[in-house]
Amino acid sequence: MSGRMWSKSRQTLGKKRTAIPTILGTFTGLAFGGLLGMSQGMKKIRQELPKDSQLLSIIEENEQLKREEMNQSLGNVLDHRNQK
């Protein structure tokens, strides 16, 4: 992606060349790559840990708290929309 943005910034001869597309593409790739890697890593950890592992129970508890927080936030947004 960063390569495409870089080449696109170089195509026009009349404009001043900048590195902004390259920088944006690099950071976008790092962010998405990091999220994907973290997701795959957590999936692998959950598969490899024994069912009675204390670490696995902490991970599941943390995920449950995140789901509850997300549901509460979504509920607040929907309530706010319904009040209008």
Side-chain angles (χ1 to χ4, degrees), residues 7-57:
S7 69
K8 206 172 185 186
S9 72
R10 302 295 184 236
Q11 288 176 353
T12 57
L13 297 175
K15 291 185 176 181
K16 183 179 177 182
R17 296 179 181 176
T18 65
I20 292 173
T22 303
I23 294 168
L24 290 175
T26 300
F27 286 128
T28 301
L30 287 172
F32 284 123
L35 289 173
L36 182 62
M38 185 174 61
S39 174
Q40 293 297 321
M42 289 302 290
K43 182 179 177 182
K44 184 71 172 173
I45 287 174
R46 276 190 235 102
Q47 289 174 352
E48 298 293 323
L49 286 173
K51 296 293 179 190
D52 60 346
S53 169
Q54 186 176 3
L55 180 57
L56 184 59
S57 65

